[in-house]
Every structure is written in structure tokens, then in C-alpha cells.
Amino acid sequence: ELRDDFSERISELMRTYTETAQRAQADMQSSTAERQQRSQRIGAHIAAIDTLDARLATFTEAAP
């Protein structure tokens, strides 16, 4: 009876650890995807700022 009880507890712990590892791996992958999306958004903002800077430069060069 004692052996069966320990076997059940060990099985439960193994399931818990396996689920925890799977969740951690999924979180890590989603974090990577989120970082990539944020990087793309930042790149788009930088491109927009560069465009505005170039337009502003043409106005300041044309000013007397």
C-alpha cells in the first residue's frame, strides 16, 4: 500500500513538472514572437521619423 501511494505521488509530480516545463517553453516562444512584433513596430516608427526628418530638411534648406 505504501509503495502504491508513493508511486501515485511520483506520477503526479512527474505530470506537474512536465506541464510546468511545457508552459515555460510556450511562454518563452510567445515572448520571442512578441519581441519580434515590437521590433517591427519600432522599425516602422523609425522609418516614419526618418521620412519626417527628410521632409523637414527640405523645408529648412528652402527657408531664407
Side-chain angles (χ1 to χ4, degrees):
E1 188 175 310
L2 187 60
R3 182 191 62 201
D4 292 342
D5 187 43
F6 277 110
S7 293
E8 286 178 33
R9 289 182 184 203
I10 290 172
S11 293
E12 184 178 335
L13 283 173
M14 288 176 58
R15 281 192 305 272
T16 301
Y17 290 141
T18 300
E19 290 170 1
T20 301
Q22 289 171 343
R23 280 193 301 257
Q25 188 174 17
D27 287 345
M28 191 170 55
Q29 290 173 349
S30 69
S31 295
T32 300
E34 290 171 0
R35 283 194 303 265
Q36 289 174 343
Q37 288 175 350
R38 185 171 181 188
S39 176
Q40 289 173 350
R41 286 194 307 265
I42 290 171
H45 288 299
I46 290 172
I49 290 170
D50 287 343
T51 300
L52 290 174
D53 186 48
R55 288 182 182 177
L56 181 61
T58 60
F59 285 121
T60 57
E61 291 172 1

